[in-house]
Amino acid sequence: MLLPFARLATATVLALLVGGGSVAASRHCDGETGVCYSETKVGVAPITWRVAIPALDAGPFDILLQVVAPRTVGWAGIAWGGGMLYNPLSVGWPNGDTSVPASRFAHAHFQPDIYDPAVHTRLRGSSANATHWTLTTVCRGCSQWVSNGGARTTLDPGATAASFAFAASPTPPLDPADTWSPFEIHTEHGLFTMDLRAAQSQNFEEWIELLSL
Ligand code: HEM
Ligand SMILES: *[C@@H]1O[C@H](CO)[C@@H](O)[C@H](O)[C@H]1NC(C)=O
Protein backbone atom coordinates (compact mmCIF):
# COMPACT_ATOMS: atom_id res chain seq x y z
CA MET A 1 0.00 0.00 0.00
CA LEU A 2 2.94 2.36 0.60
CA LEU A 3 4.00 2.52 -3.01
CA PRO A 4 0.67 3.55 -4.56
CA PHE A 5 0.16 6.24 -1.93
CA ALA A 6 3.71 7.56 -2.45
CA ARG A 7 3.03 7.74 -6.21
CA LEU A 8 -0.29 9.45 -5.64
CA ALA A 9 1.31 12.06 -3.38
CA THR A 10 4.03 12.80 -5.95
CA ALA A 11 1.52 13.11 -8.78
CA THR A 12 -0.68 15.44 -6.75
CA VAL A 13 2.22 17.78 -6.07
CA LEU A 14 3.13 17.84 -9.78
CA ALA A 15 -0.47 18.61 -10.70
CA LEU A 16 -0.51 21.50 -8.23
CA LEU A 17 2.70 22.88 -9.70
CA VAL A 18 1.63 22.76 -13.34
CA GLY A 19 -2.11 23.11 -12.76
CA GLY A 20 -4.16 26.24 -12.35
CA GLY A 21 -6.79 25.74 -15.04
CA SER A 22 -10.06 23.85 -14.78
CA VAL A 23 -8.34 20.68 -15.97
CA ALA A 24 -6.31 18.77 -13.41
CA ALA A 25 -4.23 15.80 -14.55
CA SER A 26 -2.61 13.40 -12.14
CA ARG A 27 -2.39 9.78 -11.09
CA HIS A 28 -4.86 7.93 -8.91
CA CYS A 29 -4.39 4.59 -7.16
CA ASP A 30 -7.39 2.80 -5.70
CA GLY A 31 -6.67 2.11 -2.03
CA GLU A 32 -8.74 -1.07 -1.99
CA THR A 33 -7.61 -2.82 -5.21
CA GLY A 34 -4.20 -1.17 -5.81
CA VAL A 35 -5.23 -0.39 -9.40
CA CYS A 36 -3.51 2.79 -10.64
CA TYR A 37 -4.82 5.14 -13.31
CA SER A 38 -3.90 8.35 -15.08
CA GLU A 39 -6.59 10.80 -14.07
CA THR A 40 -8.10 14.02 -15.41
CA LYS A 41 -10.98 16.01 -13.93
CA VAL A 42 -12.85 18.12 -16.43
CA GLY A 43 -16.09 19.99 -17.01
CA VAL A 44 -18.54 21.82 -14.78
CA ALA A 45 -19.50 18.82 -12.60
CA PRO A 46 -16.52 18.01 -12.71
CA ILE A 47 -16.28 14.49 -14.11
CA THR A 48 -13.24 12.37 -13.29
CA TRP A 49 -11.80 10.27 -16.12
CA ARG A 50 -9.30 7.53 -15.25
CA VAL A 51 -7.41 5.31 -17.69
CA ALA A 52 -5.05 2.35 -17.27
CA ILE A 53 -3.42 0.43 -20.13
CA PRO A 54 -0.93 -2.43 -20.49
CA ALA A 55 2.83 -1.72 -20.67
CA LEU A 56 3.69 -1.81 -24.38
CA ASP A 57 5.40 0.14 -27.18
CA ALA A 58 2.58 0.20 -29.72
CA GLY A 59 -1.17 -0.26 -29.98
CA PRO A 60 -3.75 -1.60 -30.21
CA PHE A 61 -4.40 -2.34 -26.55
CA ASP A 62 -7.30 -2.76 -24.14
CA ILE A 63 -8.27 0.25 -22.06
CA LEU A 64 -9.38 0.15 -18.43
CA LEU A 65 -11.65 3.17 -17.99
CA GLN A 66 -13.10 4.54 -14.78
CA VAL A 67 -15.54 7.46 -14.77
CA VAL A 68 -16.69 9.16 -11.55
CA ALA A 69 -19.50 11.69 -11.90
CA PRO A 70 -22.01 13.41 -9.66
CA ARG A 71 -25.52 11.98 -9.78
CA THR A 72 -26.58 15.16 -11.63
CA VAL A 73 -24.78 13.76 -14.69
CA GLY A 74 -27.30 11.65 -16.65
CA TRP A 75 -24.75 10.34 -19.12
CA ALA A 76 -21.08 11.05 -19.88
CA GLY A 77 -18.87 9.89 -22.72
CA ILE A 78 -15.27 9.95 -23.87
CA ALA A 79 -14.21 10.19 -27.54
CA TRP A 80 -10.91 8.35 -27.96
CA GLY A 81 -9.92 10.30 -31.09
CA GLY A 82 -10.56 13.71 -29.53
CA GLY A 83 -13.80 14.66 -31.32
CA MET A 84 -17.36 13.43 -31.67
CA LEU A 85 -17.07 12.04 -35.19
CA TYR A 86 -15.44 8.88 -36.57
CA ASN A 87 -13.90 7.41 -33.44
CA PRO A 88 -15.02 5.03 -30.69
CA LEU A 89 -17.13 6.66 -27.98
CA SER A 90 -17.27 5.08 -24.53
CA VAL A 91 -20.44 6.30 -22.85
CA GLY A 92 -21.73 5.55 -19.37
CA TRP A 93 -24.58 6.35 -17.01
CA PRO A 94 -26.01 5.34 -13.64
CA ASN A 95 -28.66 2.65 -13.36
CA GLY A 96 -30.11 1.93 -9.93
CA ASP A 97 -27.19 1.19 -7.61
CA THR A 98 -24.78 0.47 -10.45
CA SER A 99 -23.73 1.88 -13.82
CA VAL A 100 -23.83 0.87 -17.48
CA PRO A 101 -21.14 1.16 -20.20
CA ALA A 102 -22.18 1.77 -23.81
CA SER A 103 -20.28 1.59 -27.10
CA ARG A 104 -21.04 4.17 -29.80
CA PHE A 105 -19.61 5.66 -33.01
CA ALA A 106 -20.90 8.85 -34.63
CA HIS A 107 -20.92 9.50 -38.38
CA ALA A 108 -22.66 12.87 -37.95
CA HIS A 109 -23.57 15.32 -35.18
CA PHE A 110 -26.60 13.22 -34.40
CA GLN A 111 -27.51 10.27 -32.13
CA PRO A 112 -24.37 8.07 -32.41
CA ASP A 113 -24.64 4.54 -33.80
CA ILE A 114 -24.17 1.37 -31.78
CA TYR A 115 -20.56 0.21 -32.28
CA ASP A 116 -19.88 -3.52 -32.07
CA PRO A 117 -16.10 -3.47 -32.83
CA ALA A 118 -15.54 -2.01 -29.35
CA VAL A 119 -16.70 -4.28 -26.53
CA HIS A 120 -17.19 -2.75 -23.10
CA THR A 121 -17.26 -5.06 -20.08
CA ARG A 122 -18.56 -3.72 -16.79
CA LEU A 123 -16.16 -4.39 -13.91
CA ARG A 124 -16.07 -4.36 -10.11
CA GLY A 125 -16.07 -0.80 -8.88
CA SER A 126 -19.16 0.12 -10.89
CA SER A 127 -21.64 1.65 -8.48
CA ALA A 128 -24.09 4.45 -7.85
CA ASN A 129 -25.32 6.09 -4.66
CA ALA A 130 -27.25 9.24 -3.74
CA THR A 131 -24.44 11.62 -4.71
CA HIS A 132 -22.21 9.93 -7.32
CA TRP A 133 -21.90 7.15 -9.85
CA THR A 134 -18.78 5.30 -10.87
CA LEU A 135 -18.31 3.24 -14.00
CA THR A 136 -15.40 0.83 -14.21
CA THR A 137 -15.13 -0.87 -17.57
CA VAL A 138 -12.57 -2.45 -19.89
CA CYS A 139 -12.87 -1.58 -23.55
CA ARG A 140 -11.53 -4.00 -26.13
CA GLY A 141 -11.49 -2.11 -29.43
CA CYS A 142 -11.28 1.52 -28.31
CA SER A 143 -7.59 2.11 -29.11
CA GLN A 144 -7.79 1.48 -32.86
CA TRP A 145 -10.45 2.42 -35.42
CA VAL A 146 -11.10 3.33 -39.04
CA SER A 147 -11.68 7.03 -39.59
CA ASN A 148 -13.77 8.71 -42.26
CA GLY A 149 -12.05 7.94 -45.58
CA GLY A 150 -10.70 4.58 -44.42
CA ALA A 151 -7.48 5.54 -42.63
CA ARG A 152 -6.69 3.47 -39.56
CA THR A 153 -5.86 5.31 -36.37
CA THR A 154 -4.11 3.69 -33.42
CA LEU A 155 -3.54 5.35 -30.05
CA ASP A 156 0.11 5.76 -29.04
CA PRO A 157 0.59 4.17 -25.60
CA GLY A 158 3.66 6.39 -25.09
CA ALA A 159 1.75 9.67 -25.52
CA THR A 160 2.17 11.85 -22.46
CA ALA A 161 -0.63 14.18 -23.61
CA ALA A 162 -3.07 12.09 -25.65
CA SER A 163 -6.00 14.25 -26.87
CA PHE A 164 -9.46 13.08 -25.95
CA ALA A 165 -12.88 14.74 -25.92
CA PHE A 166 -15.77 14.36 -23.52
CA ALA A 167 -19.46 15.16 -23.55
CA ALA A 168 -22.14 14.99 -20.85
CA SER A 169 -25.79 15.71 -20.17
CA PRO A 170 -27.96 15.89 -17.04
CA THR A 171 -30.70 13.98 -18.89
CA PRO A 172 -30.61 10.20 -18.32
CA PRO A 173 -30.90 7.86 -21.33
CA LEU A 174 -34.42 6.76 -22.30
CA ASP A 175 -33.90 3.31 -20.70
CA PRO A 176 -30.88 3.39 -18.36
CA ALA A 177 -30.97 -0.40 -17.93
CA ASP A 178 -30.28 -0.88 -21.64
CA THR A 179 -26.76 -0.38 -23.02
CA TRP A 180 -28.31 0.28 -26.46
CA SER A 181 -30.65 2.98 -25.16
CA PRO A 182 -30.85 6.25 -27.07
CA PHE A 183 -29.94 9.44 -25.20
CA GLU A 184 -30.25 13.14 -25.78
CA ILE A 185 -27.63 15.64 -26.89
CA HIS A 186 -24.97 16.83 -24.45
CA THR A 187 -25.21 20.13 -22.62
CA GLU A 188 -21.43 20.38 -22.41
CA HIS A 189 -18.47 19.03 -24.30
CA GLY A 190 -14.76 19.72 -24.31
CA LEU A 191 -11.21 18.58 -24.90
CA PHE A 192 -8.68 17.25 -22.45
CA THR A 193 -5.41 15.36 -22.43
CA MET A 194 -4.25 12.30 -20.56
CA ASP A 195 -0.85 10.84 -19.88
CA LEU A 196 -1.00 7.38 -21.44
CA ARG A 197 2.63 6.64 -20.63
CA ALA A 198 1.83 7.09 -16.94
CA ALA A 199 -1.32 4.98 -17.44
CA GLN A 200 0.79 1.94 -18.38
CA SER A 201 1.19 -0.97 -15.99
CA GLN A 202 2.81 -4.40 -16.10
CA ASN A 203 -0.06 -5.49 -13.82
CA PHE A 204 -2.77 -4.62 -16.34
CA GLU A 205 -3.98 -8.17 -17.11
CA GLU A 206 -3.87 -9.05 -13.40
CA TRP A 207 -5.99 -5.98 -12.61
CA ILE A 208 -8.60 -6.88 -15.24
CA GLU A 209 -8.87 -10.35 -13.70
CA LEU A 210 -9.09 -8.87 -10.21
CA LEU A 211 -11.89 -6.51 -11.29
CA SER A 212 -13.86 -9.07 -13.31
CA LEU A 213 -17.40 -9.68 -12.10
C1 HEM B 1 -27.81 12.13 -29.03
C2 HEM B 1 -26.51 12.23 -28.97
C3 HEM B 1 -25.70 13.36 -29.56
C4 HEM B 1 -26.09 14.40 -30.36
C5 HEM B 1 -27.48 14.71 -30.92
C6 HEM B 1 -24.92 15.22 -30.60
C7 HEM B 1 -24.89 16.36 -31.37
C8 HEM B 1 -23.86 17.25 -31.46
C9 HEM B 1 -23.89 18.55 -32.11
C10 HEM B 1 -25.11 19.12 -32.82
C11 HEM B 1 -22.69 19.12 -31.96
C12 HEM B 1 -22.28 20.50 -32.39
C13 HEM B 1 -21.58 20.49 -33.69
C14 HEM B 1 -21.03 21.84 -34.04
O1 HEM B 1 -20.85 22.68 -33.13
O2 HEM B 1 -20.77 22.03 -35.21
C15 HEM B 1 -21.85 18.20 -31.22
C16 HEM B 1 -20.54 18.41 -30.89
C17 HEM B 1 -19.77 17.55 -30.15
N1 HEM B 1 -20.16 16.32 -29.62
FE1 HEM B 1 -21.98 15.50 -29.82
N2 HEM B 1 -23.85 14.67 -29.95
C18 HEM B 1 -24.29 13.54 -29.31
C19 HEM B 1 -23.52 12.66 -28.56
C20 HEM B 1 -22.17 12.80 -28.31
C21 HEM B 1 -21.36 11.87 -27.59
C22 HEM B 1 -21.83 10.54 -27.03
C23 HEM B 1 -20.10 12.41 -27.51
C24 HEM B 1 -18.86 11.88 -26.85
C25 HEM B 1 -18.78 10.79 -26.18
C26 HEM B 1 -20.13 13.69 -28.20
C27 HEM B 1 -19.08 14.57 -28.30
C28 HEM B 1 -19.10 15.78 -28.95
C29 HEM B 1 -17.95 16.66 -29.05
C30 HEM B 1 -16.59 16.43 -28.45
C31 HEM B 1 -18.37 17.76 -29.82
C32 HEM B 1 -17.51 18.96 -30.28
C33 HEM B 1 -17.34 18.99 -31.78
C34 HEM B 1 -16.82 17.68 -32.33
O3 HEM B 1 -15.91 17.07 -31.73
O4 HEM B 1 -17.35 17.23 -33.35
N3 HEM B 1 -21.41 13.89 -28.69
N4 HEM B 1 -22.59 17.06 -30.94
C1 LIG C 1 -20.84 7.49 -3.31
O1 LIG C 1 -20.05 7.10 -4.43
C2 LIG C 1 -18.86 7.84 -4.60
C3 LIG C 1 -18.17 7.38 -5.87
O2 LIG C 1 -18.94 6.58 -6.71
C4 LIG C 1 -17.97 7.71 -3.40
O3 LIG C 1 -16.81 8.49 -3.56
C5 LIG C 1 -18.72 8.14 -2.17
O4 LIG C 1 -17.92 7.90 -1.03
C6 LIG C 1 -20.03 7.37 -2.04
N1 LIG C 1 -20.80 7.91 -0.92
C7 LIG C 1 -21.27 7.13 0.06
C8 LIG C 1 -22.07 7.84 1.10
O5 LIG C 1 -21.05 5.94 0.09
Side-chain angles (χ1 to χ4, degrees), residues 105-174:
F105 197 101
H107 299 87
H109 287 112
F110 188 66
Q111 179 73 56
D113 295 325
I114 283 159
Y115 184 58
D116 289 331
V119 176
H120 292 74
T121 306
R122 191 169 58 90
L123 299 174
R124 249 177 76 195
S126 297
S127 63
N129 59 34
T131 64
H132 289 81
W133 57 273
T134 299
L135 171 66
T136 310
T137 182
V138 60
C139 178
R140 300 189 169 85
C142 282
S143 70
Q144 189 175 68
W145 62 92
V146 176
S147 321
N148 194 13
R152 195 171 61 179
T153 305
T154 309
L155 291 181
D156 172 8
T160 53
S163 295
F164 301 134
F166 81 99
S169 164
T171 309
L174 196 63

Side-chain angles (χ1 to χ4, degrees), residues 29-70:
C29 294
D30 186 288
E32 205 176 305
T33 59
V35 176
C36 293
Y37 303 84
S38 273
E39 171 184 280
T40 302
K41 293 183 193 208
V42 66
V44 294
I47 300 170
T48 303
W49 301 92
R50 295 177 180 145
V51 166
I53 63 173
L56 30 68
D57 296 328
F61 45 86
D62 295 347
I63 300 175
L64 174 57
L65 170 70
Q66 187 168 66
V67 187
V68 186

Side-chain angles (χ1 to χ4, degrees), residues 75 77-78 83-84 89 109-112 165 167 183-186 189:
W75 69 260
I78 180 171
M84 178 171 165
L89 307 173
H109 287 112
F110 188 66
Q111 179 73 56
F183 47 81
E184 284 179 32
I185 189 171
H186 33 81
H189 61 77

